[in-house]
Structure formats: structure tokens, C-alpha cells
Amino acid sequence: MKILLTGANGLLGQANTAIFTRESDFEIIQTSFEEKAYIDFGNPYEQLDITIKEDVKRVVDFYSPDVIVNCAAYTEVDKCETERELSWKINVDGVKNLIIAAKKNNCKIVHYSTDYVFDGRNGPYTEESIPNPVSFYGREKLASENALYTSDINYAIIRTLVLYGNGVNIKQNFVLWLIQKLKNNEPVNIVTDQISNVTMIDDLAFGSLKIIEKDLKGIYNIAGSDILSRYEFAMKVCEVFDFNKALVNPLITASLSQAAPRPLKSGLTTYKIESELGFKPMDSLEGLRLLKFQLGY
């Protein structure tokens, strides 16, 4: 099976490439916005901006993959509020470009979405819960889902949230930022009222591989197996990495004056993947212990 990965230089793209290469016989083609691959996995690499329709068609036509795995996204939630045109081009128009190319080449799309398609009033949410986004980022991701629903192609949508893990030249995720601050004995302010799962990137990549192998269709949630507040999660980081818990100051989201509203009582259920794949994601402590090992602590 031939897999074309977009956004291969990001945290998820690197994790997918690593696990797909190690755990399967898939032929992997890496593509990303940057000129070169950040990690050489021995796979072909193509520079690709998914917002340029003709480039997407050219690359997909050339490689003719069986599956396109779309890891490319504009995920800076607050900037999505202020950079709406740019973020829409990537998060929605880019997906539509992939759909056009996939239709022509009769290939499947595996696409990543988010709990931000919900309002965060009564989580955790199942795959059947009714979306009601409260931020522009959430509206974009819902629009990308809808583009796939109405496309008449084979697709799987994987909803996930609060990704953490390690990679090369990646944007700093919540946990890596927290580790850096606490390691330097710097105080941090962490919210107590944003409640959700957290997702170890290796779990998300492994679950994605299984969805592709079984050719599953529709929506699947992949997220950590426990639900907790960001503050509680920060306490677990302190516990695993032996940092000073007194450095973590609790506060509420409203005090941060963030540009984008957050779904506060959120989270995603994982019953569907557990029953259909026999796969139970790690809880936060298991994920953090794995990350500690990977970071060489």
C-alpha cells in the first residue's frame, strides 16, 4: 500500500512516518511545506503546499497513492481568529484541494480534526455528538469535515486533542513548554477549568496506522484514556519529571483574555476505537513516562 503524508515535518507527521515505517510494509511518501525533510526516514520527499491546487494535483498524480494522510494544518487557535484568510486556506481550502486530487486518483483520505468542533458545555463527546464550534478554528475544522462528508470519496476523520510528544524542529507543544519552564524553575500559570483528554503522539500515530490497515471509514476519536484539567495534567508532569509543584499556579481561562474561546468541559470518548480496533490509548501518566524515556531523563 502506498501512503502519501502531508505535513510530514510536523509533530504528527513525524510520528506517523516513524511508526508507519517501523510497523508496516507501506510505501511512504513524505510531503511538507518545507524544502527538505526534517528527519530522513529513507522515503521519497516532496515539498508541497496544500493550498496550491495545481501542486497538489501534480504530486498526487505522480505518486498515485492508495491513501493520503493529511497531517497539514494551521493549529494556532488564537491566530486563527486574527489570520482568518490564511488559516482557512490551509485548514479548509487545502483539504478541498486534496479531495479533488483524491477523486481523480481514486484514493482514500485520512484527515485529522479536533474537539474544537464542539462547544465544550457537556463533554466528553462521542463520534455521534452534534458539533457546535465556538471558535474560528473550530468552524474551520468542521468545514473540513463537511467537505469530506459531501465529497463522495473514501475517507476517515480522526478527531483528537491536546497532542504532546517529541520531534525535530517541531512547534513547542504544551508539555515540552511546561518541561522547559519547570526545569528552569520558572513559575507557570495553568488553567483549572479546561478539562479534556491529552493525547500522546505515539498513540495517535499507532491508532492511525490501524485505521488505515483495517480500511475503516467515518469518524473515530483517538485520545488519551483519562480526562483531566490542564492543571491536573501539569501536576502529573511534575510527578513524572520530579519538578516542584509549587511552581504551578492555578487560574481560570477567563483571566487569560485569549483571542479564541475554548471548549472548557470537553474531551472525547474512545469506546469506538477500543471496540473496533482492540486498542486502548495510554493514560496521561503512561504517556508522560514514555515521553520521559524518549527525552532521556
Side-chain angles (χ1 to χ4, degrees), residues 13 116 158 269:
Y116 275 65
I158 300 173
T269 66

Side-chain angles (χ1 to χ4, degrees), residues 114-135:
T114 171
D115 68 316
Y116 275 65
V117 299
F118 302 110
D119 56 23
R121 293 177 183 168
N122 57 350
Y125 297 97
T126 71
E127 287 83 354
E128 289 75 37
S129 298
I130 305 300
N132 183 34
V134 293
S135 67

Side-chain angles (χ1 to χ4, degrees), residues 6 12 26 68 227 236:
T6 68
L12 176 56
F26 294 163
I68 298 170
I227 293 177
K236 289 180 185 283

Side-chain angles (χ1 to χ4, degrees), residues 66-135:
D66 299 291
V67 182
I68 298 170
V69 180
N70 182 34
C71 305
Y74 190 109
T75 58
E76 296 184 57
V77 175
D78 290 320
K79 285 189 176 180
C80 285
E81 297 291 332
T82 55
E83 299 181 0
R84 295 190 171 198
E85 185 176 350
L86 173 61
S87 60
W88 188 274
K89 277 180 67 177
I90 297 169
N91 289 337
V92 184
D93 293 340
V95 177
K96 291 179 180 178
N97 292 339
L98 293 172
I99 289 169
I100 291 167
K103 270 188 177 179
K104 183 180 176 187
N105 289 272
N106 193 31
C107 53
K108 179 175 183 170
I109 290 180
V110 175
H111 176 63
Y112 294 91
S113 192
T114 171
D115 68 316
Y116 275 65
V117 299
F118 302 110
D119 56 23
R121 293 177 183 168
N122 57 350
Y125 297 97
T126 71
E127 287 83 354
E128 289 75 37
S129 298
I130 305 300
N132 183 34
V134 293
S135 67

